[in-house]
Amino acid sequence: MLMHSEVLESTHPELRLHPLSWLFELFNVLKQFIVPLLFLLFAGRSNSYEFWGLVGIAFMVPLAIARYYTFRYQINDDHLIIRSGLIHKTVSNMAFTRIQNVTLHQGILHRIMQVAEVRLETGGGEKEEGRMRVLGIAQAKQLQNIIRGHETLNKSTPDSSIQSDETEHSLLTLSNRELIKLGLISNKGMILVAAAFGASMQFDHAIPTKIIKSAGKWLWNHSSELSQNSFLSYFLGGLTVLLVALIIVRIISIIQAILHYYGFELSQQDERLSIQRGLLNRFSGSLPRSRIQAWTLEQSFLQRRFHRFALRVDAAARGGDKSEHLESHWQLAPIADEQHIETIVDSVIPAGSWPISIWQPLHPNAWKREFKKPAYFLLIPTVILAYWAWQFAIIMLLAYPWLWIQSKQWAKHAGYSYNKGIIAVREGWIKKHWRFAEVRKIQAVYIKQSPFDRKYGMATLFCDTVNAGSFEPPLAIRYLPFDEAVSLHNELSRVIASQ
């Protein structure tokens, strides 16, 4: 991306944003002030000073209109020029070959007015010069097709294992039935329920007690068998409240899954994976396969009952744009069976590399390290409770047998693999977790040893990929025998250096 201070001459016409783009620019500003403004209006002292916020927002209207008149873009043969700025003018020249991704975002208002927000990712890290708010949906798709078409004509893939395929075919689609399963499996509704519960307690701290007592009284009045035991009625009232809360959580989770992933389709065309999803807010984006750095596969206890997995990848992110770092964390399959997971993985890495059939075990004493961390953590509060409330200390001591069983089972199911150019690690017992990456994507490999590791003769091997801004930690193989960790480190270092 090049920055110019002079207007570049071209025979191609300059284009403007959609005529209603100023309205969306204004809405974007209002979103930052709506919460404090509502707080002032409804929780203030009802004096005239609280309405100065409305006066300030009124000044945003001419600024939003000015942005519409000063923002122009120009589509040339091999690059895109964007001009913006009222006082401080900026001219950005983005070559099509440098644009890594084009995503279209549509909210409810976008879809009603047939417009879309276009975001261009170039790897430069500048936030605004790659964002066009907003274009007509036809113009947005035309720009997206021009950039992707130019990429197809000028592609050069160093990995010979990835075959060029200009036809687009689907890798995964989610039906409404699968979305309902996703809602039943996930616990995202718990966040909204907890937030609503916490907000209600700000007005009345006794709300939990009142709810349980109300349920208990209802049972008291409707069951003659409970009329002789008020404690039992309140106990069952608490269980009733818990059951109702769980039902509400599941219903909210199903609604969230449908809103977020309705019409989900993961497709492959040439060197890109494309995703479309969303009921009210529609997302349409694509991810170059070359940007995928690492994979994370998960299977919770409920997912195991449904024979389903969740797959996400870490993508090489843009530098500097912290507000958009979530786009480096792609959910390729929020829910999918084993066959679809294998198809998706094989579309990027060499075919036959996944699933892995042979796993190497960790250090024989790995379970001790996994046991001692939470055991030592619980030791201090247990000692304190033994002095102040010995009954609760006894309850906490009952956690130690569970920690012992959990550590044993964790070590039994944990392992790692290095085969066919893939480095992988698996962990978990009740909730299983796999993380893997191609060795050619690894940028650094290093070994760490804590004092406890040295005591047991083990070490942890870390493999870093290009992944700025992701929530995922580096690929780590914990509790390896030290000599084995050194040998694997040397082998990976040799392969990385030879590339």
Side-chain angles (χ1 to χ4, degrees), residues 99-103 120-123 151 162 271-272 286-294 313-318 324-325 327-330 348 440-441 465-468:
I99 298 177
Q100 300 176 358
N101 192 18
V102 184
T103 59
L120 307 174
E121 299 182 22
T122 63
E151 178 189 67
I162 299 179
E271 298 176 11
R272 288 183 173 270
S286 63
L287 174 67
R289 290 189 285 180
S290 59
R291 283 184 58 192
I292 296 178
Q293 302 296 309
V313 296
D314 302 335
R318 298 170 295 181
E324 301 295 335
H325 67 280
E327 294 185 9
S328 67
H329 187 70
W330 286 70
V348 178
R440 67 186 183 89
K441 297 294 183 70
T465 58
V466 178
N467 188 29

Side-chain angles (χ1 to χ4, degrees), residues 392-406:
F392 293 100
I394 293 177
I395 295 177
M396 295 194 69
L397 287 175
L398 296 177
Y400 282 86
W402 166 252
L403 291 177
W404 183 85
I405 295 174
Q406 192 274 338

Side-chain angles (χ1 to χ4, degrees), residues 9-29:
E9 295 184 359
S10 174
T11 58
H12 297 271
E14 287 189 334
L15 305 174
R16 293 184 183 273
L17 299 175
H18 192 274
L20 293 177
S21 62
W22 67 271
L23 184 61
F24 291 92
E25 189 69 29
L26 181 61
F27 285 161
N28 184 63
V29 176

Side-chain angles (χ1 to χ4, degrees), residues 162-163 165 167-175 178 263-276 285-289 292 295 311 313 330-349 351:
I162 299 179
Q163 301 296 325
D165 184 7
T167 61
E168 183 174 2
H169 57 277
S170 177
L171 298 176
L172 175 66
T173 58
L174 297 182
S175 63
E178 287 296 304
F264 181 95
E265 181 178 9
L266 173 67
S267 58
Q268 174 188 353
Q269 182 179 15
D270 195 48
E271 298 176 11
R272 288 183 173 270
L273 299 178
S274 299
I275 294 178
Q276 295 187 25
S286 63
L287 174 67
R289 290 189 285 180
I292 296 178
W295 304 71
L311 177 67
V313 296
W330 286 70
Q331 192 86 358
L332 294 188
I335 181 171
D337 57 23
E338 186 174 2
Q339 182 179 358
H340 281 96
I341 293 295
E342 184 176 349
T343 301
I344 295 172
V345 176
D346 285 346
S347 68
V348 178
I349 66 177

Side-chain angles (χ1 to χ4, degrees), residues 73-320:
Y73 68 99
Q74 195 174 44
I75 303 175
N76 292 309
D77 296 332
D78 57 358
H79 63 279
L80 175 69
I81 300 176
I82 296 179
R83 298 175 174 85
S84 62
L86 180 61
I87 299 176
H88 180 74
K89 296 185 179 293
T90 302
V91 180
S92 303
N93 188 339
M94 291 178 283
F96 289 150
T97 56
R98 300 296 298 172
I99 298 177
Q100 300 176 358
N101 192 18
V102 184
T103 59
L104 307 183
H105 294 256
Q106 284 186 293
I108 301 176
L109 194 59
H110 291 85
R111 300 179 69 180
I112 293 176
M113 298 184 177
Q114 292 295 305
V115 297
E117 179 179 326
V118 181
R119 298 178 185 177
L120 307 174
E121 299 182 22
T122 63
E126 296 295 336
K127 178 180 178 181
E128 292 297 336
E129 62 185 16
R131 178 175 299 184
M132 307 170 77
R133 187 190 294 120
V134 293
L135 295 181
I137 188 64
Q139 288 179 292
K141 290 184 176 180
Q142 180 187 22
L143 178 60
Q144 187 180 53
N145 293 334
I146 289 175
I147 295 175
R148 291 182 181 178
H150 192 276
E151 178 189 67
T152 302
L153 293 175
N154 296 276
K155 61 180 179 290
S156 177
T157 305
D159 185 6
S160 59
S161 65
I162 299 179
Q163 301 296 325
S164 176
D165 184 7
E166 296 184 3
T167 61
E168 183 174 2
H169 57 277
S170 177
L171 298 176
L172 175 66
T173 58
L174 297 182
S175 63
N176 292 335
R177 183 178 180 181
E178 287 296 304
L179 294 180
I180 293 175
K181 289 182 181 179
L182 177 61
L184 293 174
I185 290 171
S186 66
N187 292 312
K188 291 184 178 181
M190 184 71 72
I191 299 176
L192 292 179
V193 172
F197 193 73
S200 64
M201 289 187 64
Q202 298 298 320
F203 298 95
D204 189 350
H205 292 284
I207 281 182
T209 305
K210 291 179 178 179
I211 293 177
I212 294 176
K213 285 185 176 181
S214 298
K217 290 179 179 179
W218 183 87
L219 291 173
W220 179 292
N221 296 327
H222 290 80
S223 177
S224 59
E225 297 179 359
L226 298 177
S227 61
Q228 303 299 323
N229 192 334
S230 60
F231 173 78
L232 180 59
S233 66
Y234 287 132
F235 175 74
L236 292 179
L239 290 181
T240 303
V241 171
L242 179 60
L243 178 61
V244 172
L246 291 177
I247 294 175
I248 293 176
V249 166
R250 293 304 170 194
I251 293 176
I252 294 177
S253 296
I254 292 174
I255 294 174
Q256 283 188 322
I258 294 175
L259 291 177
H260 195 68
Y261 292 109
Y262 179 82
F264 181 95
E265 181 178 9
L266 173 67
S267 58
Q268 174 188 353
Q269 182 179 15
D270 195 48
E271 298 176 11
R272 288 183 173 270
L273 299 178
S274 299
I275 294 178
Q276 295 187 25
R277 57 169 173 79
L279 180 59
L280 301 180
N281 295 328
R282 193 69 180 167
F283 171 85
S284 175
S286 63
L287 174 67
R289 290 189 285 180
S290 59
R291 283 184 58 192
I292 296 178
Q293 302 296 309
W295 304 71
T296 301
L297 183 66
E298 291 182 337
Q299 188 180 45
S300 65
F301 176 78
L302 291 177
Q303 285 173 325
R304 289 165 62 183
R305 304 280 73 79
F306 286 96
H307 304 287
R308 294 296 186 269
F309 298 83
L311 177 67
R312 62 180 181 269
V313 296
D314 302 335
R318 298 170 295 181

Side-chain angles (χ1 to χ4, degrees), residues 2 26 32 59 66 124 141 150 273 392 427 486 492:
L2 303 175
L26 181 61
Q32 305 176 27
F59 284 102
K141 290 184 176 180
H150 192 276
L273 299 178
F392 293 100
E427 295 181 350
V486 172
L492 294 177

